[in-house]
Amino acid sequence: MAERILMNEFKALAKEQWVNIELQNEDIFNWTIGLIVLNPDSLYYGGYFKAAMAFPSNYPYSPPKFRFLRPLYHPNIYPDGKLCISILHSPGEDAMSGELASERWSPAQRVESVLISILSLLDDAEVSSPANVDAGVLLRKSPEEYKETVRKCVEASKADIPDGYEMPTHESTSMTAPKIIKDDDSDFWAESDVDDDMFGGSGSDQEEMDSDDYEEQDDDDTGSDEEPLGKK
């Protein structure tokens, strides 16, 4: 069931211009993602934010794992690229963090909702529980210096644009950009409860996320015979 759901989601997202996706080694459980911010007022506009996303064998009953592959300066992004975001936490309430079940992962969530939440997070940082303390302090005390640091990250991210890929612009995609809904609840972005080995260490931007990290991952080959549907 997980393979069928993921393939349907992959095909649907491959048609969108705000995200560029490919399969790692034709494995439907491991995706390479390029997130593109289409809001021209965003500090992150114009960047190509490369990430890896890995799915458990019981998806959608358990959440995927997500990590930016290039360092991205942001209060809610750890230096190794992992996120401080409730939607990727296991289902159910967490008394320790104060997160409600409605804020965390549920089987009703999909890849699109995760990616839209991440795009919203970029320009709506929660500095009260930062994953990157230095970024949180800089944003509060020196916004202009923070903006300059982010600008350098955006420029560096362009090195990850695939050869032959035409970056969309706000004008060319204004009718197809994802709808970003900001959450005003300051507790929504709670401290991450992922462990340090979730992605097998920080690694390089070429390092793949090993699906063996999941205890329930099947040993069968789950690759697809179809060519990757990324937009070139």
Side-chain angles (χ1 to χ4, degrees):
M1 182 179 71
E3 292 143 320
R4 183 175 68 252
I5 292 173
L6 285 170
M7 183 55 70
N8 287 338
E9 291 194 60
F10 182 89
K11 289 180 178 179
L13 282 171
K15 299 175 183 178
E16 300 290 343
Q17 296 189 20
W18 54 272
V19 61
N20 184 39
I21 57 174
E22 295 181 351
L23 301 182
Q24 295 180 16
N25 297 323
E26 299 187 358
D27 180 3
I28 193 60
F29 287 94
N30 289 279
W31 300 11
T32 298
I33 294 173
L35 274 180
I36 300 146
V37 178
L38 295 174
N39 176 11
D41 297 323
S42 170
L43 293 178
Y44 298 86
Y45 180 69
Y48 184 92
F49 304 111
K50 189 175 181 181
M53 204 165 188
F55 300 87
S57 59
N58 67 340
Y59 178 85
Y61 297 102
S62 293
K65 301 172 183 177
F66 183 98
R67 178 168 65 90
F68 285 109
L69 296 178
R70 180 181 290 273
L72 187 57
Y73 198 74
H74 189 280
N76 304 116
I77 300 175
Y78 289 94
D80 64 359
K82 289 181 286 186
L83 293 179
C84 179
I85 186 170
S86 297
I87 197 172
L88 292 178
H89 293 173
S90 299
E93 294 187 6
D94 185 345
M96 294 295 294
S97 68
E99 293 176 342
L100 301 176
S102 60
E103 299 168 340
R104 297 163 68 92
W105 178 263
S106 78
Q109 302 286 2
R110 289 296 183 264
V111 177
E112 182 179 34
S113 59
V114 170
L115 298 182
I116 290 175
S117 294
I118 293 170
L119 288 174
S120 178
L121 173 65
L122 290 180
D123 284 310
D124 193 25
E126 174 51 60
V127 297
S128 65
S129 57
N132 185 328
V133 176
D134 291 340
V137 171
L138 192 63
L139 177 58
R140 291 196 308 268
K141 294 187 175 181
S142 184
E144 291 305 316
E145 186 177 352
Y146 176 83
K147 291 178 183 179
E148 178 61 20
T149 303
V150 169
R151 187 192 66 79
K152 292 178 181 178
C153 288
V154 170
E155 288 303 309
S157 75
K158 295 177 182 179
D160 292 326
I161 299 175
D163 292 340
Y165 179 77
E166 184 177 350
M167 281 286 286
T169 64
H170 172 68
E171 291 80 7
S172 66
T173 59
S174 59
M175 298 302 294
T176 60
K179 184 177 181 181
I180 305 297
I181 301 177
K182 292 186 178 181
D183 194 308
D184 294 329
D185 185 352
S186 61
D187 290 332
F188 186 85
W189 309 113
E191 183 175 358
S192 175
D193 59 4
V194 296
D195 57 67
D196 292 336
D197 296 328
M198 175 173 280
F199 294 99
S202 58
S204 67
D205 61 355
Q206 300 297 321
E207 184 178 14
E208 295 181 358
M209 297 165 64
D210 189 353
S211 59
D212 290 337
D213 287 337
Y214 297 106
E215 295 180 357
E216 298 182 15
Q217 180 71 50
D218 297 331
D219 291 331
D220 296 337
D221 181 12
T222 56
S224 169
D225 292 331
E226 297 183 7
E227 292 294 328
L229 299 177
K231 300 166 288 306
K232 304 293 182 186

